Amino acid sequence: MNISKLKFPPLKYNQIKKLPDKLIYGTARDIYGQYAEEFVMFSTKKGSNNRAIMRCYPELIERDGKINVPSLYIWFLSSNCSGQGYGTAMLNFAIKHSKQIGCNGNFHLTADTSFMPNRIPHIFYRKFGMNTTTPAINKKLDKFIAHKKNATHRDFEIANMYYPPLQNKNKFLEFIQKKFLWCKYLLNGGK
């Protein structure tokens, strides 16, 4: 049969694409008077109950010396299956979602010690690329990672963490540089 001469050639059906391992379902809700979005990531594998939940909302923060920088605040992030990639996948989704809602890929959260005091999330967030406002805490976290140690509530306090990492500049050095440039300007006769 010559298909090229048919007025209506037979339909070609697209092959069914394989489902991804993880899907995300999102809703918006009012939680304690605060509008927040809730995303649930779940497994498409048969018999798997793995899931992660993230609640977040956009806000304006001070960041890298600038005020009113839009950032997605992750109010709650939890996974029922540690080590399966759900937390990392949810943080990668947070970057994309932050870009979609006008936060330029910025997000921040509070790393809490109360949910799992014997295995706090600070190290996980640091491995993802987040940092705190305190360089000493960042260095301590890096040491724990280098020695492959788990941190407990005795090692770290509750900490605010930011992505992309903050530019921790030494304010004293910045002040000296500005003064030096000003003196140089004056010595050159204001040129």
Side-chain angles (χ1 to χ4, degrees):
M1 177 174 181
N2 190 354
I3 295 177
S4 63
K5 293 187 179 187
L6 289 176
K7 187 174 182 180
F8 300 104
L11 296 175
K12 293 182 180 178
Y13 293 103
N14 292 336
Q15 292 181 344
I16 297 175
K17 294 181 181 178
K18 185 179 175 187
L19 278 175
D21 290 344
K22 301 172 183 84
L23 291 176
I24 297 176
Y25 174 75
T27 59
R29 49 186 359 194
D30 184 341
I31 302 173
Y32 305 120
Q34 172 68 47
Y35 167 80
E37 294 176 292
E38 180 177 85
F39 297 97
V40 179
M41 179 180 290
F42 56 93
S43 174
T44 58
K45 295 178 183 175
K46 190 173 183 178
S48 175
N49 289 328
N50 295 346
R51 67 185 61 229
I53 299 172
M54 177 176 74
R55 294 185 187 118
C56 56
Y57 55 87
E59 67 179 7
L60 299 174
I61 63 169
E62 183 178 339
R63 180 185 170 92
D64 297 327
K66 299 175 186 169
I67 58 171
N68 294 331
V69 176
S71 182
L72 181 70
Y73 178 64
I74 298 177
W75 175 50
F76 179 80
L77 178 64
S78 177
S79 171
N80 71 347
C81 49
S82 181
Q84 301 292 316
Y86 283 79
T88 303
M90 195 60 96
L91 289 178
N92 285 324
F93 172 75
I95 294 170
K96 291 177 186 173
H97 182 61
S98 175
K99 289 177 182 176
Q100 287 176 343
I101 63 171
C103 292
N104 304 321
N106 298 328
F107 69 85
H108 64 288
L109 51 79
T110 302
D112 198 352
T113 60
S114 61
F115 290 113
M116 293 179 62
N118 292 328
R119 190 166 185 216
I120 60 174
H122 298 56
I123 300 227
F124 166 71
Y125 296 135
R126 182 69 177 159
K127 283 181 181 178
F128 186 79
M130 300 178 77
N131 73 355
T132 67
T133 56
T134 311
I137 294 174
N138 295 331
K139 286 180 185 178
K140 187 175 177 183
L141 284 167
D142 291 340
K143 285 182 183 177
F144 270 76
I145 292 169
H147 293 107
K148 297 180 181 180
K149 290 174 60 180
N150 284 331
T152 68
H153 67 285
R154 293 182 187 106
D155 301 314
F156 295 96
E157 303 273 327
I158 293 173
N160 292 326
M161 300 188 81
Y162 300 86
Y163 184 89
L166 295 175
Q167 303 300 318
N168 289 325
K169 294 181 181 176
N170 188 330
K171 291 183 180 181
F172 178 72
L173 285 176
E174 201 172 287
F175 173 77
I176 296 296
Q177 287 173 343
K178 284 180 183 178
K179 290 296 181 187
F180 174 74
L181 291 173
W182 179 251
C183 291
K184 187 176 176 182
Y185 173 77
L186 290 176
L187 289 173
N188 288 334
K191 295 178 186 178

